[in-house]
Amino acid sequence: MSNCAVVGINWGDEGKGRMVDLIARDFDVVVRYQGGNNAGHTVVNEYGSFGLHLIPSGIFSEGVVNVLGNGVVIDPESLWKEMEGLRAAGVRVTPENFKISDRASIVFPYHLQLDGLEEERLKDKKYGSTRRGIAPVYSDKYQKKTIMMGEILHPDYLKARLQGILEWKNLTLTGVYGAEPNEFGRIYDWVMRYGGYLKDYICDTTELLTNAQRQGKNIMFEAQLGALRDIDFGIYPYTSSSYSIAGYACIGAGIPGSHVDRTVGIVKAYSTCVGEGPFTAEWFGPEADKLREAGHEYGVSTGRPRRVGPLDLVATRYGCLIQGATELALTKLDVLSYLDEIPVCTAYELDGERTDRFPFPADLDRAKPVFESLPGWGGIDIGGVRRFEDLPKNAQDYVLYVEKALGVHIRYVSVGPGRDDYILR
């Protein structure tokens, strides 16, 4: 038995989905353990190109059971539509290969409504929410005012609880935001309609995963977003509302007494960020546009253009530390092929002092990037390379430079979007 976490080292969008899709064949179970449909994992394989928002990226691998753990928050309507889209593409999604924790919290329409209203109230001080209701539902969870997926199997119990919760929510909608209240019948019908589609998938996933471990099966924990978006250790308040770190994997999956044996951290060969907040190594203007287009850097869930810049080694070292990364996958190395010189952010200047330590969030707005440049590889197409020694020397040197700077072995090097477009070191 082996437990492996696949996690983001930076701001998210590092390429976790394609790595899970690649190595899922070595595992029996893949579990999403936090977050909701506020971020996406891009997977390209023989079925086509997919942007997954809730369903684990192991769904394409035959014989793998995919689980949404108790730490995930689920919009039933969004999930059902994602399942239907996969089926239409020929991907098998059944109660045998896809399970939903009965303890996962439900994202209701009023959560999306509140998310949007608060972002509008904040105006130019907004946090960059995707408006998918994630912050409101996690807030409700810790106030003990969410509905769990398992309650769909107990409609009378759900109905009584939802009536009290909706009365409380309507007080906020009308009294704080001056918005229209939600009508109970509409909300109840919505959850029973989409919940009805999902009821055969809901189960006690703690029992499921415990039994899998007893049988010696291998479990992968798939994270959403990256270390810098973690609610405790990220760039607060410009974070997600969940724990995107490997340390939460076993808890959010439903087996809190277990542990992670191996943590694969995903690092993009340059930096990207969606949303608001400090982004020290950011590029602007034509320089940023070229990199954004070369890497097709647009959000999977929102379509928003991603902020881009050179690889930030200061932030990445911090991410490796927080995630406890035992090995790394460096993704999108091929995107840098167009550059003659490749800048790398090696340190920050903060109040006239140079530092390689990632600062407290309050200090980040004053941090200035310190860049060094490495030679590019002259536009050589590396998409077909499958052995490290066959890369152009400057491409090899870039990988080795990053590895040494981070102090963690780079085991995988991605040179294209497809499942098999990678080098194993």
Side-chain angles (χ1 to χ4, degrees):
M1 181 195 77
S2 174
N3 292 339
C4 172
V6 178
V7 296
I9 295 297
N10 299 118
W11 291 263
D13 305 308
E14 299 97 343
K16 293 180 293 297
R18 63 101 62 231
M19 288 306 303
V20 172
D21 179 51
L22 170 64
I23 62 178
R25 63 192 78 172
D26 299 327
F27 291 84
D28 302 292
V29 184
V30 175
V31 190
R32 266 281 307 275
Y33 62 86
Q34 46 80 221
N37 65 329
N38 54 318
H41 289 170
T42 301
V43 174
V44 180
N45 55 32
E46 69 270 22
Y47 293 100
S49 179
F50 300 89
L52 300 180
H53 305 281
L54 275 166
I55 295 180
S57 303
I59 196 68
F60 304 100
S61 297
E62 189 68 29
V64 173
V65 176
N66 295 267
V67 177
L68 293 181
N70 52 275
V72 179
V73 291
I74 298 172
D75 180 331
E77 180 177 356
S78 176
L79 176 57
W80 180 249
K81 289 176 179 177
E82 186 172 331
M83 294 164 65
E84 290 288 88
L86 286 169
R87 290 193 188 103
V91 181
R92 180 172 168 266
V93 186
T94 71
E96 285 69 48
N97 75 335
F98 179 50
K99 308 287 186 179
I100 302 169
S101 171
D102 55 7
R103 292 179 177 271
S105 293
I106 297 175
V107 181
F108 279 86
Y110 55 74
H111 289 123
L112 279 71
Q113 184 183 8
L114 285 164
D115 206 353
L117 288 167
E118 179 60 10
E119 282 288 283
E120 290 167 14
R121 186 192 71 81
L122 288 169
K123 296 181 180 177
D124 61 339
K125 297 179 181 178
K126 62 187 179 181
Y127 299 148
S129 169
T130 58
R131 304 188 182 214
R132 302 294 172 91
I134 307 304
V137 73
Y138 273 116
S139 175
D140 285 2
K141 178 177 179 176
Y142 289 102
Q143 294 187 74
K144 295 166 285 187
K145 294 184 183 295
T146 53
I147 303 292
M148 295 188 293
M149 289 295 296
E151 294 180 50
I152 290 168
L153 307 180
H154 301 83
D156 291 339
Y157 179 83
L158 184 157
K159 190 172 189 177
R161 290 198 66 242
L162 183 59
Q163 284 176 327
I165 291 171
L166 190 59
E167 180 182 350
W168 171 67
K169 276 295 170 193
N170 281 338
L171 289 172
T172 303
L173 285 165
T174 58
V176 175
Y177 296 104
E180 291 296 315
N182 280 273
E183 192 269 319
F184 173 78
R186 182 180 69 85
I187 297 296
Y188 180 74
D189 289 346
W190 174 86
V191 72
M192 294 311 296
R193 175 189 175 187
Y194 288 102
Y197 297 150
L198 300 172
K199 63 182 182 180
D200 291 338
Y201 299 83
I202 300 169
C203 68
D204 181 346
T205 55
T206 295
E207 181 180 31
L208 174 80
L209 295 173
T210 300
N211 287 338
Q213 288 190 314
R214 287 172 178 166
Q215 295 166 20
K217 294 186 176 181
N218 297 324
I219 299 174
M220 180 195 296
F221 306 108
E222 179 182 8
Q224 178 212 57
L225 296 170
L228 302 180
R229 295 300 193 199
D230 182 80
I231 186 67
D232 274 356
F233 297 99
I235 306 173
Y236 192 86
Y238 303 101
T239 66
S240 188
S241 299
S242 61
Y243 301 99
S244 54
I245 55 174
Y248 183 72
C250 294
I251 297 171
I255 43 175
S258 190
H259 61 275
V260 175
D261 303 298
R262 169 188 169 205
T263 299
V264 181
I266 315 300
V267 179
K268 198 175 282 183
Y270 51 95
S271 297
T272 64
C273 169
V274 172
E276 308 297 323
F279 186 39
T280 304
E282 185 170 10
W283 272 354
F284 300 93
E287 198 171 36
D289 293 339
K290 286 180 183 178
L291 180 55
R292 184 178 298 110
E293 292 305 314
H296 307 290
E297 295 297 346
Y298 296 88
V300 178
S301 292
T302 63
R304 288 185 292 184
R306 293 180 183 134
R307 301 159 68 188
V308 299
L311 179 61
D312 185 335
L313 292 175
V314 181
T316 304
R317 269 194 300 270
Y318 175 76
C320 289
L321 172 68
I322 294 306
Q323 294 287 20
T326 58
E327 61 194 75
L328 298 175
L330 186 69
T331 62
K332 289 199 168 186
L333 182 66
D334 55 303
V335 172
L336 299 180
S337 296
Y338 79 96
L339 289 165
D340 295 325
E341 295 284 330
I342 303 174
V344 177
C345 176
T346 58
Y348 294 167
E349 185 180 294
L350 187 61
D351 299 333
E353 298 287 331
R354 181 170 171 150
T355 180
D356 58 6
R357 179 179 175 273
F358 192 67
F360 184 73
D363 294 325
L364 274 169
D365 280 332
R366 305 195 314 280
K368 308 297 181 186
V370 177
F371 291 115
E372 293 182 13
S373 288
L374 282 72
W377 42 95
I380 297 173
D381 181 5
I382 61 173
V385 176
R386 296 295 177 267
R387 298 193 310 165
F388 186 72
E389 58 267 30
D390 292 337
L391 283 172
K393 184 173 185 306
N394 286 350
Q396 294 182 42
D397 289 345
Y398 184 80
V399 174
L400 296 173
Y401 177 90
V402 172
E403 181 175 77
K404 182 178 180 181
L406 298 180
V408 184
H409 175 57
I410 296 176
R411 186 177 185 192
Y412 303 91
V413 179
S414 161
V415 292
R419 173 187 283 169
D420 297 318
D421 297 341
Y422 76 100
I423 295 165
L424 178 65
R425 295 179 66 229

